Amino acid sequence: MNRIKLSAVTSALVVSGLLGAAVAHATPTDSAFPWSWGGLKVSDVQQGSDNEVYVKFKNPDGTIRTVWPNSSGTDLCGGNATLRLARARTNFQEIVSTLNAAGLSGRPVWVAYEPTAGVCYIKAVQISF
């Protein structure tokens, strides 16, 4: 009887692993994001020759943020101070407007980010009041 239970549990685990196993493919334009950071200020917003927007943020102490960590504290962006906003996002203009408003008003922001193919992309922003 125990052998049957063990076999059933093992089979269930194997099947669930096969059905549930999928490789996640992050893109610069999807709306999902696993990482975020708050209390930052917009330091610099530039439009690149590729029509994407490049943004630098300041930490609360005024230094440029160069560490974009995951939950274990590992830097996901390789010490790069610039996050990129993909032009192909459906809400591109809204995010640019929010970044500009936050930068001009000096208000802190929360920013969601995700690395994709070695580049860290902005996924969402919110002005803190």
Side-chain angles (χ1 to χ4, degrees):
M1 192 67 155
N2 286 337
R3 189 176 215 165
I4 292 172
K5 286 181 184 178
L6 181 60
S7 179
V9 169
T10 303
S11 296
L13 289 173
V14 169
V15 168
S16 66
L18 291 174
L19 294 177
V23 177
H25 294 287
T27 69
T29 59
D30 67 18
S31 60
F33 57 88
W35 318 113
S36 64
W37 203 268
L40 304 173
K41 292 200 175 177
V42 176
S43 172
D44 187 39
V45 178
Q46 293 184 2
Q47 178 142 358
S49 59
D50 57 0
N51 279 333
E52 294 196 344
V53 171
Y54 297 83
V55 185
K56 290 183 182 176
F57 295 91
K58 289 183 191 174
N59 292 310
D61 66 2
T63 60
I64 299 295
R65 181 155 196 86
T66 58
V67 176
W68 298 95
N70 61 13
S71 60
S72 66
T74 302
D75 183 19
L76 298 171
C77 301
N80 191 351
T82 305
L83 296 184
R84 187 184 299 187
L85 178 62
R87 177 75 175 185
R89 290 189 63 84
T90 56
N91 61 347
F92 174 83
Q93 188 57 49
E94 290 82 359
I95 291 177
V96 170
S97 295
T98 301
L99 290 166
N100 287 329
L104 290 171
S105 68
R107 300 300 247 172
V109 296
W110 165 89
V111 61
Y113 56 93
E114 183 173 28
T116 303
V119 176
C120 281
Y121 285 92
I122 295 171
K123 295 300 194 97
V125 293
Q126 178 180 335
I127 298 176
S128 302
F129 291 98

